[in-house]
Amino acid sequence: MIHNSSPAIVVIGCGVIGLSSALSLQELLRDDPSKSSWQVVIVSKEWPTSIPGAPIPHSIEYSSMWAGAHVRPIPPTTTQLRQEGLWLKQTVSKFNSLLKAETQIGLTLAPAIEVFEAPGDEYKAQTAESFEADSGLKGYRELTAKELPNGTTFGFEYESYCINSPIYCGDLLRKFIIAGGKTINATLRSVDEASIITPNVQFLVNTSGIGFNDSKVFPIRGHIVLTNSTCFDKTITRQNLDGTWNFIIPRFFSGGTVIGGTKEPHDWRRDPDSATCRRLLTGVEELKQYALSSGSLGQPENISVIQEIVGRRPAREGGLRLEIEFPSNTYSAESKLPVIHAYGAGGRGFEISWGVASSVSKLAKGLMVKLDQTKGRLAKL
Ligand SMILES: Cc1cc2nc3c(=O)[nH]c(=O)nc-3n(C[C@H](O)[C@H](O)[C@H](O)COP(=O)(O)OP(=O)(O)OC[C@H]3O[C@@H](n4cnc5c(N)ncnc54)[C@H](O)[C@@H]3O)c2cc1C
C-alpha cells in the first residue's frame, strides 16, 4: 500500500528520457518485494499534452514535443557514438516488444531511406550485417545508382521506427500513472528543491533535458515544418554537400508529416524564419518527386503547412550525462540527496531512450543497496 509518506524516488522532468526512466524504475520496484511500499514521483514544469496546430502550451525547450521523430542510426565511430549505439540497440529491442503488445501507442515500423550528396566513409563502409549488428534494425540494402534521387551519389534503405512523439509520450505518461506513479506540476529552481517536493524522498533522477546550470549544455536549434500531408509511407533523409539536411518523417496516427530540418548548434534564435521554411518546402518537393517515381507515394496532394516550428535539442559536450552524484559538503554538489543525472540527450533522445532508462535503473538498483546498507549501519549505532 502506497501512502503519501511512502519512500519516494523523484524523477525531475517529463520528456521521453524522464518517462522511460520512471517506467523502468517502477519495474525495478515491482521486482523487489522489500520495496513494495516505494513510489515513483515525476515533478515537471511541462507535460505531454500537445496537439500540434492547436494553441501551443509548450516551450521550445521541451524537446520531446518537437521531435520528428525517427530512429536513424549513426555509424559508431567515436566513444560517445558507440555508447549511444548501445542505447539505441536496446531501444530498438524495446520498441519491437512494445509494438508486439500494443499497436496504438504512437510507434510505427516503417521503411527508411537515407541518401547523400557526399557520404562519409563511415556510411560507405556499412554492410547489412554491420548495420543490423550495430542497430538491431533489419532490411539494410544499398540503393542502386538508378534508385538514387538527382544530385545524390549514395544511399541505402532499412526498416526503422517513426514515432508520433506527443502521442507516444502521452501513452508513457498514462502507463506511469496507471502503474501508481504520482505527478507534481512545479518549476524547480534547483535539483535540491526536488528533495523536499514530497515527503520521504530517497534519491533523485535528473532528466530535465538541459540540466541545471551545466556549462557543458547547449541547444541545437531545430527548425521544422509540420504539414497536413498523409501520403508518405516512409521516412526519407537527405544529407547535402553544404551540411544542410532535408528529411520527411510521417507522424502516423493522424499527425501529418514533419518536413525538416535544421541542426544549428549554439543557435539561440527562438522563432522560425521564412527563408528556411521556403528552403525546407522546396527540398521536400524534390523528395516527393523521388518518392512518387519510386512508387512509394500514395495519392499526390497539395501540402499545406500546419505550423512552422522551432525546437531545441538539449545537447551536451561529450554527450548525455549519466552518473550518480553523491551529496557532499562541497559547494558544487547539486543536492543533499544522491542524484542520478540523465540529461543532455541532444538529437537522439527517442532512439536512445530505453537504453538510457535501463542504465538509470541499474544505477538506481546499486544505489538502493547502498542506502539499505547505510541504514543498517545507522540502526546498529
Ligand atoms: C526538431 C527536432 C527533431 C528531433 N528529431 C529527433 C528524432 O528524429 N529522433 C530522436 O531520437 N530525437 C529527436 N530529437 C531530439 C529529442 O527530441 C530529444 O533528444 C529528447 O526529447 C530529449 O528528451 P529529454 O526527456 O531529455 O528532454 P525534454 O523533452 O526537453 O524534457 C525535459 C523535461 O524536464 C522538465 N524540466 C526542465 N527544467 C525543469 C525545471 N527547472 N523544473 C521542472 N521541470 C523541468 C521539462 O518541463 C520537461 O518535462 C529532435 C528534437 C528536435 C527539437
Side-chain angles (χ1 to χ4, degrees), residues 14 17 44-46 61 63-64 70 188 346-351:
C14 196
I17 300 291
S44 186
K45 64 177 171 186
E46 295 192 74
E61 276 85 22
S63 194
S64 294
H70 56 186
L188 303 174
R348 308 190 72 185
F350 281 83
E351 63 185 22

Side-chain angles (χ1 to χ4, degrees), residues 12-19 43-47 60-72 163 186-190 207-212 220-224 247 249 262 309-314 320 342-352:
I12 304 169
C14 196
V16 70
I17 300 291
L19 286 161
V43 53
S44 186
K45 64 177 171 186
E46 295 192 74
W47 302 84
I60 65 172
E61 276 85 22
Y62 188 13
S63 194
S64 294
M65 290 305 103
W66 308 122
H70 56 186
V71 175
R72 197 189 65 78
I163 306 142
T187 301
L188 303 174
R189 300 291 295 272
S190 67
T207 58
S208 56
I210 52 174
F212 288 78
I220 302 177
R221 180 176 183 267
H223 186 322
I224 53 174
F247 52 81
I249 309 178
T262 68
I309 288 170
V310 168
R312 287 183 180 154
R313 301 171 179 92
L320 181 119
Y343 63 85
R348 308 190 72 185
F350 281 83
E351 63 185 22
I352 63 171

Side-chain angles (χ1 to χ4, degrees), residues 6-10 25 28-29 32 34-35 38-39 195 200-205 324-327 335-340 360-380:
S6 297
I9 304 171
V10 172
L25 289 167
L28 180 70
L29 296 180
D32 181 350
S34 75
K35 299 288 179 290
W38 285 45
Q39 59 180 332
S195 51
N200 206 4
V201 181
Q202 303 297 302
F203 61 89
L204 309 172
V205 180
I324 304 185
E325 187 180 13
F326 288 97
S335 164
K336 294 183 188 70
L337 291 175
V339 187
I340 300 174
V360 165
S361 188
K362 269 192 203 122
L363 289 177
K365 193 171 181 181
L367 188 52
M368 291 195 299
V369 171
K370 219 173 197 152
L371 291 174
D372 285 345
Q373 287 166 347
T374 315
K375 277 180 194 145
R377 274 203 300 277
L378 288 177
K380 281 193 199 137

Side-chain angles (χ1 to χ4, degrees), residues 294-326:
S294 66
S296 64
L297 199 63
Q299 284 298 312
E301 57 182 0
N302 288 326
I303 296 179
S304 69
V305 173
I306 295 173
Q307 199 187 350
E308 295 173 34
I309 288 170
V310 168
R312 287 183 180 154
R313 301 171 179 92
R316 185 170 181 275
E317 282 164 38
L320 181 119
R321 181 179 182 195
L322 186 86
E323 61 178 347
I324 304 185
E325 187 180 13
F326 288 97

Side-chain angles (χ1 to χ4, degrees), residues 120-377:
D121 290 342
E122 69 281 14
Y123 282 101
K124 287 200 284 190
Q126 286 178 158
T127 63
E129 290 73 32
S130 72
F131 187 83
E132 186 171 342
D134 287 342
S135 67
L137 295 170
K138 297 187 184 303
Y140 179 96
R141 182 182 71 87
E142 206 174 302
L143 299 179
T144 62
K146 271 193 189 149
E147 292 174 296
L148 292 171
N150 282 345
T152 61
T153 59
F154 178 74
F156 51 87
E157 65 176 10
Y158 53 97
E159 282 291 315
S160 189
Y161 278 97
C162 290
I163 306 142
N164 184 324
S165 37
I167 290 186
Y168 178 70
C169 288
D171 183 74
L172 296 185
L173 178 58
R174 278 192 295 278
K175 289 195 166 98
F176 170 75
I177 292 170
I178 290 291
K182 296 282 176 291
T183 53
I184 299 175
N185 193 36
T187 301
L188 303 174
R189 300 291 295 272
S190 67
V191 174
D192 205 20
E193 207 184 327
S195 51
I196 43 113
I197 199 94
T198 189
N200 206 4
V201 181
Q202 303 297 302
F203 61 89
L204 309 172
V205 180
N206 175 13
T207 58
S208 56
I210 52 174
F212 288 78
N213 304 315
D214 181 336
S215 59
K216 290 187 174 171
V217 168
F218 61 94
I220 302 177
R221 180 176 183 267
H223 186 322
I224 53 174
V225 185
L226 180 68
T227 67
N228 68 345
S229 176
T230 53
C231 68
F232 292 101
D233 65 351
K234 61 182 60 166
T235 170
I236 308 177
T237 305
R238 175 177 175 138
Q239 297 192 41
N240 303 313
L241 187 57
D242 62 2
T244 59
W245 299 68
N246 294 103
F247 52 81
I248 292 169
I249 309 178
R251 270 192 171 179
F252 296 105
F253 307 94
S254 307
T257 296
V258 168
I259 304 295
T262 68
K263 301 185 183 194
E264 301 160 290
H266 301 281
D267 188 329
W268 291 90
R269 284 175 302 147
R270 307 186 72 86
D271 296 321
D273 58 279
S274 49
T276 306
C277 185
R278 271 197 307 277
R279 179 182 76 72
L280 297 177
L281 290 173
T282 307
V284 85
E285 272 308 315
E286 281 171 20
L287 288 181
K288 193 173 131 187
Q289 291 311 319
Y290 163 67
L292 194 57
S293 64
S294 66
S296 64
L297 199 63
Q299 284 298 312
E301 57 182 0
N302 288 326
I303 296 179
S304 69
V305 173
I306 295 173
Q307 199 187 350
E308 295 173 34
I309 288 170
V310 168
R312 287 183 180 154
R313 301 171 179 92
R316 185 170 181 275
E317 282 164 38
L320 181 119
R321 181 179 182 195
L322 186 86
E323 61 178 347
I324 304 185
E325 187 180 13
F326 288 97
S328 77
N329 294 325
T330 62
Y331 179 68
S332 64
E334 295 200 39
S335 164
K336 294 183 188 70
L337 291 175
V339 187
I340 300 174
H341 295 287
Y343 63 85
R348 308 190 72 185
F350 281 83
E351 63 185 22
I352 63 171
S353 53
W354 286 106
V356 173
S358 157
S359 296
V360 165
S361 188
K362 269 192 203 122
L363 289 177
K365 193 171 181 181
L367 188 52
M368 291 195 299
V369 171
K370 219 173 197 152
L371 291 174
D372 285 345
Q373 287 166 347
T374 315
K375 277 180 194 145
R377 274 203 300 277

